């Protein structure tokens, strides 16, 4: 979409006005600074998703749109989790879990680990389920970004 | 060295370049420089309304009756918020308009300045697009884009918000001949394979039906629609917005369909086997409950410029995205070239069925009543104006009677707020219609409730000598609300009685117009004739009508098309 003030609010406004659901949304400028790329995750029956696609295409600032899930795609999301890590046993266990999920601990104090984790939505959800709920202090997730598999390209 | 112009000069020059003849507006602090430039020229005529809502409706009526872009000018803050109803009205009916709004100076934006609102934010959901111009070098090209977007594809209102300081700054003026947007390229011609499929489907039809909508009017496709329908000898119905797209006096026209459509139109819609939807969108007032609509099987061909209108409420079999006129032209060519013909015998039987439905005479009413029946007033109006007037209306029962009883043979003669249903639309839109069609007969069919929502415009009509004829069907009730309360709320007429009405005759006279009150059926004819003889004056005709008359047929909300309440 055009990298312009107001473009994002047009998309967000469309979803709220028509009662569509935004599960996550991530947007940033591309290698062409006049364009932004937005990855939006939504859900609904086929006919609703078709309507969402058509309505988004009508927005003047939406340059090109692709339903990634219509074919193979890869997705990644970044999550930062701050956990309470006090005492040798807890600290060890958290470290092990982070390793299993191929995450990194990127900030450490004597009471806190901050964990960085990248992966699909379900992997990040899996990590949170595996963690002891009581230890989780704060979570920041970026929302999903995605690309089509293989030759399929969304570009001008 | 080319001379630099101020932002205000540039704006007015752009309007001149676009050939804008009239701009409807109301001045205020943020647009003073624009008004100063309007003052210095005479190519673009400014029409001063009495409330910004009316500026929008007038520009809207201007656009609907002329197929030019309507232009309005309002100031920041309350100027814009007053205009929102008018913008939303135009948006719902896809009317091409450009709205110029003043904004507080760039440096004051976000400071809660005097008369500041987030105009782009407030209008976002009810415009096709909008712009805030922060850089004078972008001003001319933005206005060009606004006119381009407003008038192409599925038309709609586009707003350009201009901060006051931008109207003072200077830049070299260059108005581009054309503009292209990488993210906006509306299709025109339909996919020929889809059109071929449609032809096959139509040839196999046994009970075909043409359902035409506002898209036919907007795209000036009435001649093509008429040619195709006559060529095929199919029945044709129209939505409220599509009236005039096919001549209403023609035998093949089965009347308007929908909530207050005719029995024959709704039955044919429900029981056809091939439906050709043209520039229409299957909205809730047209097909009622989609579940009931699905209870009969039929194949649907849907021609529309807007892909999002297709398969939105009703799944269709052959979608054709394209301009209605272009696709209809293609269809006409294909049918002319095709040796196969529609099966005449089946069509004949279908017509016999339709004639049986038509014989039900669903629009009948008591013509011998001793009180004025509103339907009779519209029929007489039709007679006396030779069916050739521009008719605007407000919203409610009178709107439905106007649609049912004034037989529009030509497009762009019927101007009403179909989608948003905006009371207060009738009088100001009539002003725009009269401005766009000087010398033509313009009548506004209204009710005593609707007319009071923009009654202040009687003053504008006086200032610009607009000889509009106001047909006030005065039943002392918000008639449609009263009708629903009678049918669905146990006769509890909560707040629908219009108490303390003004004396409309005196009111009209106080504005310098002619007022008439008519309360006997036998006086309708004479009064109308007298009024239309006064071709230089606005005449406010207050018809005291039957208080309890209802609009029939009626498809109750949530019901199917074949479940009409009949008189």
């Amino acid at each position: 979409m055009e990298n312009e003030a107001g473009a994002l609010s047009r998309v967000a406004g469309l979803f709220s006005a028509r009662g569509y659901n935004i599960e996550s949304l991530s947007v940033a400028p591309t290698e062409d600074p006049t364009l932004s790329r937005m990855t939006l995750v939504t859900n609904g029956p086929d006919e609703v998703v078709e309507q969402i696609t058509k309505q988004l295409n009508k927005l003047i600032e939406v340059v090109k749109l692709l339903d990634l899930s219509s074919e193979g795609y890869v997705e990644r999301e970044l999550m930062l989790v701050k956990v309470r890590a006090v005492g040798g046993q807890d600290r060890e266990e958290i470290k092990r879990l982070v390793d299993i999920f191929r995450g990194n601990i990127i900030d450490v104090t004597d009471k806190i680990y901050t964990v960085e984790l990248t992966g699909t939505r379900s992997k990040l959800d899996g990590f949170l389920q595996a963690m002891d709920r009581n230890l989780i202090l704060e979570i920041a997730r970026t929302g999903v970004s995605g690309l089509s598999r293989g030759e399929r390209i969304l570009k001008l | 060295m080319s001379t630099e112009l101020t932002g205000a000069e540039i704006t007015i020059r752009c309007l001149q370049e676009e050939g804008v003849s009239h701009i409807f507006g109301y001045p205020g602090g943020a647009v003073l420089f624009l008004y100063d430039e309007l003052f210095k020229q005479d190519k673009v005529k400014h029409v001063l309304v009495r409330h910004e809502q009316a500026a929008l409706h007038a520009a809207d009526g201007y656009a609907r009756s002329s197929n030019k872009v309507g232009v309005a000018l309002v100031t920041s803050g309350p100027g814009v918020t007053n205009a929102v109803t008018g913008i939303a009205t135009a948006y719902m009916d896809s009317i091409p308009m450009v709205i110029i709004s003043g904004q507080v100076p760039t440096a004051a934006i976000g400071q809660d300045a005097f008369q500041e609102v987030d105009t782009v934010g407030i209008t976002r959901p009810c415009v096709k697009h909008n712009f805030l111009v922060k850089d004078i070098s972008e001003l001319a090209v933005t206005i060009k884009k606004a006119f381009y977007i407003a008038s192409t594809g599925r038309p709609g209102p586009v707003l350009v918000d201009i901060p006051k300081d931008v109207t003072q700054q200077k830049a070299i003026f260059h108005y581009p001949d054309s503009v292209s947007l990488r993210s906006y390229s509306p299709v025109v011609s339909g996919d020929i394979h889809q059109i071929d499929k449609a032809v096959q489907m139509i040839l196999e039809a046994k009970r075909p039906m043409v359902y035409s909508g506002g898209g036919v009017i907007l795209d000036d496709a009435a001649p093509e629609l008429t040619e195709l329908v006559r060529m095929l000898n199919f029945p044709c119905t129209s939505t409220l917005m599509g009236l005039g797209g096919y001549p209403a006096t023609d035998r093949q026209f089965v009347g308007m369909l929908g909530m207050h459509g005719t029995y024959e139109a709704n039955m044919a819609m429900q029981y056809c086997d091939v439906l050709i939807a043209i520039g229409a969108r299957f909205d809730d007032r047209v097909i009622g409950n989609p579940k009931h609509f699905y209870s009969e099987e039929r194949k649907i061909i849907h021609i529309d410029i807007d892909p999002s209108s297709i398969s939105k409420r009703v799944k269709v079999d052959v979608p054709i995205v394209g301009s209605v006129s272009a696709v209809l032209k293609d269809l006409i060519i294909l049918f002319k070239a095709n040796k196969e013909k529609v099966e005449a015998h089946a069509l004949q039987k279908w017509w016999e069925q339709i004639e049986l439905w038509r014989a039900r005479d669903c629009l009948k009413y008591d013509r011998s009543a001793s009180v004025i029946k509103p339907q009779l007033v519209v029929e007489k109006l039709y007679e006396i104006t030779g069916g050739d007037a521009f008719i605007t209306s407000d919203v409610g029962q009178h709107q439905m009677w106007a649609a049912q009883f004034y037989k529009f043979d030509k497009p762009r003669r019927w101007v009403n707020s179909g989608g948003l249903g905006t009371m207060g639309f009738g009088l100001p839109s009539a002003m725009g219609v009269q401005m766009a069609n000087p010398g033509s007969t313009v009548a506004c069919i209204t009710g005593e409730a609707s007319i009071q929502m923009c009654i202040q415009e009687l003053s504008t009509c006086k200032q610009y000598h607009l000889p509009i004829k106001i047909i006030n069907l005065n039943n002392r009730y918000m008639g449609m609300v009263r009708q629903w309360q009678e049918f669905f709320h146990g006769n509890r007429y909560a707040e629908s009685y219009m108490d303390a009405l003004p004396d409309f005759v005196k009111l009209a006279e106080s504005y310098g117009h002619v007022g008439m009150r008519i309360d006997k059926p036998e006086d309708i004819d004479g009064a109308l004739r007298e009024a239309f003889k006064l071709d230089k004056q606005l005449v406010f005709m207050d018809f005291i009508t039957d208080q309890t008359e209802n609009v029939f047929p009626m498809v109750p909300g949530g019901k199917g098309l074949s479940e009409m309440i009949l008189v």
Side-chain angles (χ1 to χ4, degrees), chain A residues 2 10 34 51 54 58 60, chain B residues 130 182-183 306 308 310:
Chain A
E2 301 288 352
R10 262 179 239 280
T34 67
Q51 239 333 282
K54 287 172 169 176
K58 263 172 81 172
I60 305 287
Chain B
N130 58 17
R182 61 179 167 188
S183 55
D306 177 8
S308 74
I310 293 176

Side-chain angles (χ1 to χ4, degrees), chain B residues 176-198:
Chain B
D177 291 332
S178 66
V179 68
S180 76
L181 292 151
R182 61 179 167 188
S183 55
Y184 176 74
S185 51
V187 289
V188 178
S189 45
D191 184 299
I192 198 69
H193 300 292
Q194 292 293 97
I195 297 174
D196 271 334
K197 258 199 244 174

Side-chain angles (χ1 to χ4, degrees), chain A residues 72-143:
Chain A
Y73 66 100
V74 289
E75 62 160 79
R76 286 295 180 271
E77 182 175 6
L78 170 68
M79 174 169 73
L80 303 176
V81 192
K82 191 175 280 191
V83 293
R84 184 178 307 284
V86 182
Q89 200 182 339
D90 268 5
R91 288 175 83 92
E92 265 309 300
E93 203 167 309
I94 294 166
K95 179 78 178 65
R96 251 197 319 273
L97 194 64
V98 170
D99 287 342
I100 291 168
F101 279 85
R102 295 194 193 83
N104 298 306
I105 295 169
I106 56 172
D107 187 40
V108 180
T109 72
D110 54 352
K111 296 192 187 71
I112 299 285
Y113 277 163
T114 300
V115 179
E116 171 202 45
L117 208 64
T118 308
T120 62
R121 267 188 304 165
S122 59
K123 173 182 158 181
L124 304 189
D125 292 343
F127 176 80
L128 294 176
Q129 268 162 19
M131 272 296 298
D132 182 348
R133 281 264 128 196
N134 299 319
L135 297 181
I136 298 174
L137 299 171
E138 195 177 357
I139 301 171
R141 294 177 73 151
T142 59

Side-chain angles (χ1 to χ4, degrees), chain B residues 282-458:
Chain B
F282 293 90
D283 86 80
D284 54 308
R285 288 299 193 261
V286 164
I287 58 155
N289 188 339
K291 232 171 39 200
H292 292 268
F293 190 62
Y294 281 133
S295 69
E296 297 296 322
E297 263 188 55
R298 66 182 84 64
K299 296 267 184 246
I300 301 177
I301 298 159
H302 191 176
I303 306 166
D304 205 288
I305 189 87
D306 177 8
S308 74
S309 282
I310 293 176
S311 291
K312 182 168 71 179
R313 295 195 77 237
V314 166
K315 195 118 192 77
V316 307
D317 301 279
V318 182
I320 304 173
V321 177
S323 102
V324 164
S325 60
V327 175
L328 288 176
K329 277 190 190 109
D330 286 344
L331 281 171
I332 290 168
I333 292 169
L334 287 174
F335 278 112
K336 276 187 179 159
N338 205 311
K339 298 255 179 319
E340 293 173 75
K341 294 278 171 272
V342 184
E343 204 196 309
H345 180 68
L347 188 57
Q348 181 56 35
K349 287 194 70 171
W350 177 228
W351 268 115
E352 281 164 17
Q353 174 61 66
I354 289 170
E355 292 306 335
L356 284 176
W357 287 326
R358 180 143 43 195
R360 183 70 179 69
D361 193 13
C362 66
L363 296 179
K364 65 174 173 263
Y365 63 93
D366 181 7
R367 281 159 206 278
S368 58
S370 56
V371 287
I372 294 182
K373 289 287 182 182
Q375 299 96 320
L376 183 64
V377 179
V378 180
E379 281 195 329
K380 287 281 175 202
L381 175 70
Y382 173 75
E383 230 176 87
I384 284 161
T385 55
D388 204 28
F390 287 87
I391 304 288
T392 73
S393 93
D394 274 296
V395 171
Q397 287 184 321
H398 67 267
Q399 177 190 26
M400 292 300 114
W401 286 316
Q404 289 175 335
F405 290 91
Y406 201 98
K407 297 180 186 66
F408 295 95
D409 279 343
K410 293 180 191 163
R412 299 194 180 279
R413 295 299 170 108
W414 168 236
V415 171
N416 84 127
S417 166
L420 197 67
T422 309
M423 290 171 73
F425 178 81
L427 178 57
S429 64
M431 303 189 313
V433 172
Q434 188 76 77
M435 294 270 180
N437 302 276
S440 296
T441 304
V442 180
C444 166
I445 299 179
T446 183
E448 82 293 336
S450 280
I451 189 75
Q452 292 193 85
M453 284 213 186
C454 274
I455 192 90
Q456 76 285 346
E457 297 308 314
L458 285 173

